[in-house]
Amino acid sequence: MAPPPTTAPAAGRTTSATIQSSKTGATYELQVYLPPSYDSSAAPLPIIYALDADAGFNPPGSRFQNLKEILERRGVEALLVGIGGTGRRSTDFNLPGVVPYHEFLTTELLPFIESKYRVNTGKRILTGLSLGGSMTGIALFLEGAGSTLSFSHFLSFDGAFGFQKADIDAMEQKMYDARAGKTFNATLFLARCGDTTACNYVPVGDLYDKLLKRAYPGLTLVEKTYSKSHLATDLPAFDDAMALIFK
């Protein structure tokens, strides 16, 4: 007897755009994935903003392509915005450039995208790997020190928190002082690879322990360790994060 036919996951569609930032002075190529239900429904959908979208971390696909495939396989009904500019990561994801880059994300990119598409602004997700992972954590610290969170979920994968550690610690301290017991209503997903010599195992673990002790009201902390290489951690971590967020 022949095996039953398999059904391929429903495919969405992808569009592209370009945005010029007055905050960083750079131009960024964008890719936007719209899930299958987008054109058949009027409902606003969650949105995922992915740093390093044009990077070939796990070939043959780009980071955008790989994350999109995970969404399609899981049937996650969410938009995915891939932000290019991997060649600028050492500038945009580190201090001092991370501050104007975060301003670009929150004051230029979000309005640009969300004026064009139906988005659930209460469920915005930011994800990055390595320097992009530490930038994702810094985004939480910058927003947490203010009065408004632009993102609800911060997915930081094997973040380089050991680089510029003193500055990053100072930013977290500023957030802690500013919160003064205020409720967060945010999730920080910290993934790390298990190789203690070739990965950011220790700095990610140290940050998790620190934030756990802080006991920020309303902040959900998740830590997962993967038996993968530094770059390969990206895909199972994103897969697990999607399972957590879209139960």
Side-chain angles (χ1 to χ4, degrees), residues 87-246:
R88 289 181 49 88
R89 65 197 318 267
S90 61
T91 298
D92 289 340
F93 299 164
N94 291 319
L95 289 161
V98 70
V99 175
Y101 184 75
H102 179 258
E103 291 176 352
F104 153 65
L105 291 181
T106 56
T107 67
E108 295 179 329
L109 180 61
L110 266 60
F112 176 79
I113 291 293
E114 296 173 11
S115 66
K116 300 176 183 294
Y117 302 103
R118 297 190 314 276
V119 171
N120 177 357
T121 58
K123 204 165 188 177
R124 292 193 191 111
I125 300 160
L126 180 66
T127 174
L129 170 71
S130 193
L131 284 176
S134 50
M135 187 280 149
T136 301
I138 289 171
L140 172 63
F141 302 156
L142 288 170
E143 294 178 20
S147 58
T148 304
L149 291 179
S150 294
F151 299 95
S152 59
H153 296 75
F154 300 80
L155 311 183
S156 171
F157 302 156
D158 213 40
F161 293 106
F163 187 65
Q164 298 187 315
K165 184 177 186 304
D167 293 318
I168 292 175
D169 285 346
M171 297 174 83
E172 187 276 333
Q173 182 66 50
K174 184 176 180 181
M175 178 181 75
Y176 181 74
D177 294 339
R179 298 309 299 179
K182 298 175 184 175
T183 300
F184 245 115
N185 293 325
T187 296
L188 175 62
F189 188 110
L190 291 169
R192 59 181 177 173
C193 95
D195 188 333
T196 59
T197 59
C199 297
N200 293 307
Y201 180 89
V202 172
V204 172
D206 287 347
L207 178 62
Y208 174 73
D209 290 341
K210 175 191 283 190
L211 297 179
L212 204 60
K213 292 176 182 176
R214 293 291 205 191
Y216 285 102
L219 177 62
T220 299
L221 286 171
V222 179
E223 185 277 321
K224 285 183 176 289
T225 302
Y226 296 88
S227 299
K228 298 286 185 179
S229 69
H230 172 62
L231 297 179
T233 297
D234 194 32
L235 303 187
F238 185 76
D239 202 3
D240 285 348
M242 294 302 97
L244 176 71
I245 297 169
F246 299 98

Side-chain angles (χ1 to χ4, degrees), residues 63-103:
R63 186 166 195 249
F64 174 81
Q65 291 169 328
N66 291 336
L67 301 190
K68 177 177 74 72
E69 287 175 3
I70 291 173
L71 295 182
E72 289 182 326
R73 173 172 53 79
R74 282 196 163 272
V76 173
E77 295 298 319
L79 283 74
L80 174 66
V81 178
I83 310 164
T86 296
R88 289 181 49 88
R89 65 197 318 267
S90 61
T91 298
D92 289 340
F93 299 164
N94 291 319
L95 289 161
V98 70
V99 175
Y101 184 75
H102 179 258
E103 291 176 352

Side-chain angles (χ1 to χ4, degrees), residues 35-51:
S37 70
Y38 185 82
D39 293 323
S40 60
S41 169
L45 296 177
I47 188 164
I48 303 163
Y49 289 90
L51 307 177

Side-chain angles (χ1 to χ4, degrees), residues 25-44:
T27 299
Y28 299 91
E29 298 295 327
L30 307 174
Q31 291 176 286
V32 182
Y33 164 72
L34 304 173
S37 70
Y38 185 82
D39 293 323
S40 60
S41 169

